[in-house]
Amino acid sequence: MKNKTLNTLALLCLTLFSISTIAQDTNTEKYTAHNKGKFYVSWGGNRETFSKSDIRFEGEGYDFTIQDATAKDKPKGWHIDYINPTSMTIPQTNFKAGYFISDKYNVALGVDHMKYVMNRNRTRTVTGYIDLPADEDGSIYNQEFNGDPYFLSEDFLKFEHTNGLNYVYLELNRFDDISSLFKINNTDIFQLNVTEGFGAGALYPKTNTTLLAKDRYDEFHLAGYGTHLNVGLNLTFYKYFFIQVDLKGGYINMPDIRTTSNANESASQHFWFLQRVISFGGRFRL
């Protein structure tokens, strides 16, 4: 009887030990160990740099090109508008939503709200012509441009994608946990990741233009396409929340930019851009 009791106790202890071991194994696997099936969303801001660009303006009575035009962004700095629902589209912003198709790869849909302001009141090389009817105010600018330097006054031209230079894109990214390189063991508390990817999409700017004394034009219009590469550093806290910094470089080509209320008048340009982005977001399992 005594041996039978001891055998029963031993079997019970072995069973409990086995269950405990399985439970421990389950508990030791971190939530952050796998990403497949997780969804993420982020919101942030950016600063931009643009390359020089030749901008061609075409319309009824004019066709001229400004060579090597320069531009700048229009930052708002750290501002409440970034989180104010009534004005959060005013600053330069970045929105992204993605889904992990595997532990290391995700697909994302993003919208970069950049701002492009052509530097005016500058002297630039201009080619082409302006030959407007004498009854138009802009006829004071009538002339042939032979590639000589010309002063681009604000009265002559104001050209901005400030509401904005909207880049809507699809993206494929790779995501790698590098926490172990820094001896970070509990990644459910803090995790360090690097990400890199590429994408392409459409440009849907709201271009603010005043050209040759014509009425100001400022409407959304599908103007062209873009493509980009990006690399980023992701800091994840308490499994779900992250801060990410990205460096994104790309190419934009807009052959059909609306400049006036006349649909037959337009501008075209292409240029390179570089973005520095900081964003905040969350990553959750669906």
Side-chain angles (χ1 to χ4, degrees), residues 6 30 48 57 74-75 84 91 115 122 128 136 167 171 174 176 187 196 201 204-205 212 222 231 240 245 266-267 278:
L6 290 174
K30 303 292 189 295
E48 302 126 26
F57 295 87
K74 194 176 181 180
N84 184 344
K115 293 182 184 289
R122 305 289 176 87
E136 289 193 20
Y167 178 38
E171 192 174 68
R174 181 181 169 93
D176 290 284
T187 54
E196 56 279 327
Y204 192 61
L212 302 177
L222 183 62
V231 60
Y240 305 111
V245 290
S266 65
I278 180 169

Side-chain angles (χ1 to χ4, degrees), residues 34-38 99-106 175:
H34 299 286
N35 287 315
K36 185 177 181 180
K38 289 180 182 177
Y99 178 76
F100 278 89
I101 56 177
S102 71
D103 283 346
K104 291 187 178 295
Y105 289 94
N106 68 77
F175 200 81

Side-chain angles (χ1 to χ4, degrees), residues 17 29 32 35 49 72 82 89 101 107 110 117-120 125 134 161 175 195 201 214 222 231 234 242 265 284-285:
F17 177 78
E29 182 171 272
T32 48
N35 287 315
T49 303
K72 58 187 177 183
Y82 282 97
T89 59
I101 56 177
V107 292
V117 181
M118 190 196 81
N119 292 317
R120 47 188 182 266
T125 300
H161 310 296
F175 200 81
T195 179
K214 297 176 182 288
L222 183 62
V231 60
N234 175 283
F242 65 81
E265 300 185 332
F284 309 94
R285 190 175 300 282

Side-chain angles (χ1 to χ4, degrees), residues 149-209:
Y150 184 78
F151 182 72
L152 301 174
S153 69
E154 187 170 347
D155 293 333
F156 175 79
L157 174 64
K158 176 183 178 181
F159 183 72
E160 304 177 351
H161 310 296
T162 45
N163 249 341
L165 184 62
N166 301 306
Y167 178 38
V168 184
Y169 59 87
L170 288 173
E171 192 174 68
L172 176 66
N173 298 291
R174 181 181 169 93
F175 200 81
D176 290 284
D177 181 1
I178 59 169
S179 303
S180 60
L181 298 178
F182 299 90
K183 302 187 184 304
I184 300 169
N185 297 318
N186 191 348
T187 54
D188 279 0
I189 299 298
F190 176 68
Q191 184 184 39
L192 193 60
N193 308 280
V194 293
T195 179
E196 56 279 327
F198 65 92
L203 271 297
Y204 192 61
K206 192 168 191 258
T207 305
N208 180 10
T209 310

Side-chain angles (χ1 to χ4, degrees), residues 48-258:
E48 302 126 26
T49 303
F50 305 106
S51 69
K52 293 180 179 180
S53 173
D54 293 348
I55 310 175
R56 183 179 181 182
F57 295 87
E58 299 176 84
E60 297 177 359
Y62 64 91
D63 184 350
F64 64 92
T65 300
I66 300 170
Q67 297 180 5
D68 292 335
T70 59
K72 58 187 177 183
D73 63 351
K74 194 176 181 180
K76 201 159 190 176
W78 293 94
H79 200 281
I80 191 65
D81 281 352
Y82 282 97
I83 56 175
N84 184 344
T86 63
S87 55
M88 61 195 312
T89 59
I90 294 176
Q92 298 174 177
T93 56
N94 299 73
F95 168 80
K96 188 184 292 188
Y99 178 76
F100 278 89
I101 56 177
S102 71
D103 283 346
K104 291 187 178 295
Y105 289 94
N106 68 77
V107 292
L109 172 66
V111 181
D112 291 355
H113 181 73
M114 298 181 278
K115 293 182 184 289
Y116 177 104
V117 181
M118 190 196 81
N119 292 317
R120 47 188 182 266
N121 297 320
R122 305 289 176 87
T123 299
R124 294 286 183 262
T125 300
V126 182
T127 58
Y129 71 91
I130 300 173
D131 187 18
L132 298 175
D135 60 349
E136 289 193 20
D137 293 339
S139 63
I140 62 173
Y141 301 109
N142 286 354
Q143 61 185 293
E144 293 279 343
F145 297 103
N146 297 313
D148 295 326
Y150 184 78
F151 182 72
L152 301 174
S153 69
E154 187 170 347
D155 293 333
F156 175 79
L157 174 64
K158 176 183 178 181
F159 183 72
E160 304 177 351
H161 310 296
T162 45
N163 249 341
L165 184 62
N166 301 306
Y167 178 38
V168 184
Y169 59 87
L170 288 173
E171 192 174 68
L172 176 66
N173 298 291
R174 181 181 169 93
F175 200 81
D176 290 284
D177 181 1
I178 59 169
S179 303
S180 60
L181 298 178
F182 299 90
K183 302 187 184 304
I184 300 169
N185 297 318
N186 191 348
T187 54
D188 279 0
I189 299 298
F190 176 68
Q191 184 184 39
L192 193 60
N193 308 280
V194 293
T195 179
E196 56 279 327
F198 65 92
L203 271 297
Y204 192 61
K206 192 168 191 258
T207 305
N208 180 10
T209 310
T210 305
L211 170 66
L212 302 177
K214 297 176 182 288
D215 291 339
R216 175 177 172 268
Y217 188 81
D218 186 16
E219 298 294 338
F220 289 106
H221 182 67
L222 183 62
Y225 66 91
T227 184
H228 69 273
L229 299 172
N230 67 273
V231 60
L233 183 66
N234 175 283
L235 289 75
T236 299
F237 303 91
Y238 298 105
K239 300 190 287 188
Y240 305 111
F241 308 103
F242 65 81
I243 300 172
Q244 185 164 316
V245 290
D246 288 285
L247 189 64
K248 176 185 292 187
Y251 171 76
I252 286 173
N253 189 337
M254 294 187 291
D256 185 23
I257 304 166
R258 288 290 301 274

